[in-house]
Amino acid sequence: MQHLIAPSILSADFTNLEKEIKFLNQSEADWIHIDVMDGHFVPNLTFGFPIIKQLKKHAEKPFDVHLMITQPERYLKEFKNAGADILTVHYEACSHLHRVVQEIKALGMKAGVSLNPHTPVHLLENIIHDIDLVLIMSVNPGFGGQAFIENSYKKIQQTKELIQKTKSNAMIEVDGGVDASNAAKLIDSGADILVAGNFIFGSNNRDQAIMQLKQLKF
Ligand code: DX5
Ligand code: ZN
């Protein structure tokens, strides 16, 4: 399968998000990655339902919503109503992960589970069959523009092995510090989706930045 690119609007121009979404519509990007932070699970705040709902009116690509919030089970329906297509929760934020995953799917969304850099992949052993996506954090969540953590390649490989061993259909997404220097190795390690914020929105040629991540040569 050709890998997908999911630009993170965390690094977009917040004063003109309609324009940013329309840029992504006409670009080669596949999904739109939306980072929701609660100032509790992570030391930063972003945005919630009203803004996502407004953005959805202009978007022509799936909304890949990454929840960095505690007790995400409180808001699953609201995120569905706001327009989430893929909803990813953190392993570290859920006491009853199995139930949360089932609820996300029952609402008609794809269910993702994210692992912080310190969380071992084997903890997904008993949930991998139920989920559509594993999100490997390659920085500590909370901020855009941080340096990529090298151990992430190994975690992607371990996730790939777990998926193959268990014949799961889950896709592997990687998020944090992704750029043209590490993208090929990430795909080679087993990543299916590359999230990138700063590399795309910080570039003076965003279309080219997306293409650089998309058309990788090995
Ligand atoms: C970090 C977020 C990321 C962030 C990635 O907590 O989950 O999605 O936007 O940004 P870059 O690509 O700049 O590291
Ligand atoms: Zn993210």
Side-chain angles (χ1 to χ4, degrees), residues 8 10 33-37 64 66 68 135 137 141 175-176 195:
S8 164
L10 186 62
H33 187 84
I34 299 180
D35 290 302
V36 178
M37 304 186 189
D64 173 32
H66 176 193
M68 285 159 275
L135 174 53
M137 285 309 300
D175 183 8
V195 175

Side-chain angles (χ1 to χ4, degrees), residues 101-109:
V101 164
Q102 304 309 326
E103 286 177 3
I104 292 172
K105 293 198 295 184
L107 287 165
M109 296 176 283

Side-chain angles (χ1 to χ4, degrees), residues 1-9 21 24-25 27-34 59-65 85-88 110-112 132-135 170-174 192-196 200-201 210 214:
M1 190 196 87
Q2 163 74 32
H3 64 275
L4 306 179
I5 307 301
S8 164
I9 60 163
I21 294 289
L24 293 174
N25 285 343
S27 77
E28 291 294 318
D30 299 283
W31 292 354
I32 300 175
H33 187 84
I34 299 180
E60 292 163 11
K61 296 184 178 177
F63 272 11
D64 173 32
V65 178
D85 297 286
I86 302 109
L87 194 63
T88 296
K110 299 249 183 250
D132 301 295
L133 182 145
V134 177
L135 174 53
M171 297 171 86
I172 304 174
E173 183 172 40
V174 58
D192 301 300
I193 308 136
L194 302 178
V195 175
I200 293 171
F201 287 100
I210 293 172
K214 190 127 192 170

